[in-house]
Amino acid sequence: MTKRATWTAEDTALFIKHYPDSTEAELVELFGGRYTVKQIRGRRKRLKIHKSDEYRQRHGINSEGRFTEGIVPFNKGKAHPSVGNSSKHWFRRGMKPANHRPVGSTRLSKDGYIEIKVAEGRFKWRLLHREVWKKHHGSYPPKGHAIVFIDGNKQNCDINNLQLITRAELMQRNTVHNLPKYLAELIQLNGQLKRKINERR
């Protein structure tokens, strides 16, 4: 937030004298950077002073305050002057934001899953339990399959707590949660038995 400027009587007199024929950048320099461009504009508005006709003509500004066609602005190609310590806080190429997270960092998703950063850049966060599965099995689960947590804890990504099931089984599991506990367990055991049989074929 910009600190409110306190204009002295001497600065005000100097401002009134030079504003009509000076650019904003020149005024910033005149006051040694004590006032920003925004503060200079505010002071001009408060004092209700305007640019001189000579200034308008020199800079190609018509009576409506607009540049006339074909006029090149005086500050074209020039960098805006920095004021005070503002240049110290500019974001430069190669700099990392304060909230930057290194590769390997983890975070919790809105759904309660742990995510891990696998590379720099946008959209480089992956579900940790899928990465753990890939590390141990060489690839992500095949299409039509899902990884579930044996103990029901989404944040327990130990490989021994991860189980691969089909999407159909996952849908069935989500449905059986509404059934009595003994019946739900029976359906889940039946699914596990079928998988074991299929693995031996």
Side-chain angles (χ1 to χ4, degrees), residues 162-181:
L162 304 180
Q163 183 181 17
L164 186 68
I165 63 174
T166 64
R167 289 287 176 182
E169 287 178 301
L170 180 61
M171 185 181 297
Q172 189 179 48
R173 283 194 180 193
N174 291 334
T175 302
V176 300
H177 286 164
N178 298 321
L179 298 175
K181 184 177 180 180

Side-chain angles (χ1 to χ4, degrees), residues 26 51 88-89 107-108 121 128 144 147 153 180 192-193:
E26 289 170 341
K51 295 298 183 185
K88 295 180 181 179
H89 305 288
R107 68 183 184 186
L108 202 62
L128 178 59
I147 300 171
N153 181 4
Q192 292 176 10
L193 179 60

Side-chain angles (χ1 to χ4, degrees), residues 103-114:
V103 173
S105 298
T106 58
R107 68 183 184 186
L108 202 62
S109 74
K110 62 180 181 180
D111 296 319
Y113 293 96
I114 297 177

Side-chain angles (χ1 to χ4, degrees), residues 13 19 26 36 62 64 77-78 85 90 133 139 143 148 150 160 196 199:
Y19 179 84
E26 289 170 341
T36 65
N62 60 26
E64 297 177 348
K78 297 180 181 179
N85 294 322
W90 291 349
W133 184 272
S139 63
K143 187 177 181 179
V148 296
I150 296 174
N160 296 316
K196 290 295 183 181
E199 288 174 0

